[in-house]
Each structure stands twice: as C-alpha cells, then as structure tokens.
Amino acid sequence: MAIVLNRSVMMLKKRILILTLISCALALLLLIAENQANFIRTNANEMPENDSESKKKNITYYTKYYQTKKSIYDSYKHQESETIFLGDSLTDYYEWGEALSDHQVLNRGIAGDTTTGVINRIEEITNANPARLYLMIGINDMIAGQSIEKIETNYKYILDTIKKKSPTTSVYVQSLLPINKKLTRHNVRNQDIKKLNEQIKNLALLYDYQYIDLHPDFLKYGQLNKDYTYDGLHLNGEGYKVWTKKLMTTYNTDSDTIE
C-alpha cells in the first residue's frame, strides 16, 4: 500500500514538474513575441497604440531608426549642386539616385517621419543648400491623429525655413498619395488627404515653389491603385515607376530610361 502511494506521489510530482516547465516555456515564448513586436514597432513606421497622445503625434523622436539616420545625415559632408529627396518611408524606400541616373541625388527619407521630425532635422538640409529639393511629408502625422491645422502649421514652418536659409534652392512640393483602405489598417480618410493636399498646394504657391500633384496618378476608384502597393500605404516597384515618370517633367534626365 505504501509503495503504491509513493509511486502515485512521484507521478504527481513529475506531472507538476512537466506542467511547470511548460508554463515557463510558454511565458518565455510570450516574452520573446512581445519583445519582437516592440522591436518591429519601434523600427518601422507603426504607431504605438498605448502611448500618450503627445508621444504618438511626435513618434519620430522615439525611434532608434530616426536617431540613427539623423546622426548619419548630420555627419555627411555635402557638395555643390546636390538634389535632395526629403520625406518619410515613401521616400526612404526608393533608390532615387539609381532611378534618375544621378550620383548627386541624396535620399533624406526616414521611415516613420513626420512634419515635426523634418523640422527637427531641417538644418542639415538648409546647410547643404541643394540645387533642388523634393519634399513629401505628412501621412504619418495623419496616421498619428495629428490635426490638419497642426500639419499645415508645421509645413509652413518647414517651407519658411528653407526659403530663408536656402533661398537659391529650387523646391518641389509633392502632394501626399492616397491610401487603399482595403489593404491597410490605418484609420486615415482619403478625403482628409485631399484636404491636406489643398493646404499644401496653397503653401507651395505662397512660397513660390512648384507643386507636383501626384495624387491623381495613383488614384483608382477613390483609393490607392492596388497595382501600385502591397500594403495599401507604401509603393511597390510599379508605383515608384509612376512617381519617377511624373518627376521627369522637372528633371533633366532622359525619361526613356524608365519603362
């Protein structure tokens, strides 16, 4: 009887040990998954859902990616007659120099950047005094819930700073692109993007800069053409071809190179 009881106790202890090990393993997996999610969120252009409103609307300052890219850009020694593309991930993800066959093209896009982030690093741009500057910024502000009025105020500050500190630069202000609501989870309305584009256009005219309206070229059935995107927000290769062709009207590069 005692032997049977001892065996039962030992089996029970083994089961408890196994359950404990399984619980620990599950807890470890959950921790790894959470850390991975935080890493992706911090280094991509996603907005933390539980942070304060202030932090969400100025998320650029809280990404290691932004800080790293800014420090690299700040360490660069500029040359004369450069062309700079300034913006967020839509600018960051493309090889502008290769597309335009111009080694003096610099990409100053930072994934996840906002108008506030551009203001924070505009000095590097104005100090460079580039021959041409192509600007597109604002969609991440909208994703973060920033008001159109605040975005417009920041945009005005950006253009005003460029006009005062780099007056000889030819500036090309680009419209925001539409999004595809069926492919992205971001709660941004295309009609609000159109409203902001109108404000951006007015600012470009105010500062006597050329406005490039990309929006219609990417629009289909009121959404970002699904042929030009995989996630409803960013562009694929075909989308960037459309963008590049549009810019050729302002660029001294042979447009036949883009098929």
Side-chain angles (χ1 to χ4, degrees):
M1 183 72 177
I3 295 175
V4 173
L5 183 61
N6 287 337
R7 287 178 179 176
S8 298
V9 171
M10 289 178 64
M11 290 180 64
L12 180 60
K13 288 182 177 180
K14 286 182 179 179
R15 289 178 180 176
I16 293 174
L17 179 61
I18 292 172
L19 289 172
T20 302
L21 291 173
I22 292 174
S23 298
C24 291
L26 288 173
L28 180 61
L29 288 173
L30 286 172
L31 180 61
I32 292 173
E34 182 179 357
N35 287 337
Q36 181 66 13
N38 287 335
F39 173 82
I40 293 172
R41 188 184 68 186
T42 301
N43 290 277
N45 63 334
E46 302 297 335
M47 302 299 163
E49 297 179 356
N50 297 320
D51 288 354
S52 68
E53 286 301 309
S54 176
K55 185 173 180 180
K56 286 170 68 177
K57 292 177 181 179
N58 298 284
I59 189 63
T60 295
Y61 295 114
Y62 301 93
T63 64
K64 294 178 182 178
Y65 184 75
Y66 174 92
Q67 298 295 338
T68 300
K69 294 283 277 191
K70 183 179 183 300
S71 69
I72 293 172
Y73 295 157
D74 287 342
S75 68
Y76 182 80
K77 184 177 181 180
H78 288 276
Q79 302 175 7
E80 293 183 357
S81 303
E82 292 174 333
T83 295
I84 293 180
F85 282 79
L86 177 62
D88 48 41
S89 57
L90 287 162
T91 299
D92 189 3
Y93 292 170
Y94 196 43
E95 302 298 336
W96 295 103
E98 292 182 20
L100 298 168
S101 301
D102 189 346
H103 70 279
Q104 285 192 299
V105 171
L106 301 181
N107 191 331
R108 289 297 181 266
I110 297 182
D113 208 359
T114 61
T115 53
T116 304
V118 168
I119 289 172
N120 185 53
R121 60 190 180 99
I122 195 64
E123 186 176 359
E124 187 247 338
I125 304 300
T126 55
N127 286 345
N129 190 30
R132 287 174 293 202
L133 175 65
Y134 290 85
L135 174 65
M136 179 193 284
I137 196 70
I139 191 62
N140 287 318
D141 296 72
M142 301 188 78
I143 290 173
Q146 193 68 269
S147 69
I148 290 178
E149 291 74 19
K150 177 60 177 176
I151 301 171
E152 181 185 4
T153 298
N154 286 353
Y155 220 109
K156 187 177 187 300
Y157 183 89
I158 292 168
L159 297 183
D160 191 67
T161 302
I162 296 169
K163 177 66 75 173
K164 290 178 178 177
K165 296 187 177 182
S166 189
T168 61
T169 298
S170 297
V171 178
Y172 301 91
V173 178
Q174 302 169 100
S175 70
L176 299 185
L177 305 182
I179 65 171
N180 191 304
K181 296 288 288 183
K182 294 181 179 179
L183 298 177
T184 181
R185 66 176 180 81
H186 294 303
N187 188 29
V188 176
R189 301 188 305 173
N190 276 306
Q191 62 192 66
D192 289 334
I193 294 177
K194 291 182 68 175
K195 288 180 182 178
L196 180 56
N197 278 339
E198 282 300 314
Q199 301 302 100
I200 293 173
K201 179 180 178 179
N202 291 336
L203 287 174
L205 293 173
L206 177 65
Y207 286 93
D208 197 26
Y209 291 146
Q210 183 169 338
Y211 178 72
I212 302 177
D213 191 5
L214 297 168
H215 193 272
D217 298 81
F218 290 87
L219 200 64
K220 188 173 183 179
Y221 306 126
Q223 306 278 334
L224 174 60
N225 190 329
K226 63 181 180 62
D227 294 335
Y228 300 149
T229 183
Y230 295 122
D231 63 7
L233 177 65
H234 302 99
L235 298 179
N236 58 26
E238 292 303 311
Y240 279 112
K241 282 184 180 181
V242 173
W243 190 349
T244 305
K245 274 183 174 291
K246 186 78 170 184
L247 296 190
M248 288 302 182
T249 59
T250 66
Y251 211 88
N252 60 347
T253 305
D254 184 5
S255 61
D256 292 336
T257 60
I258 306 297
E259 299 179 356

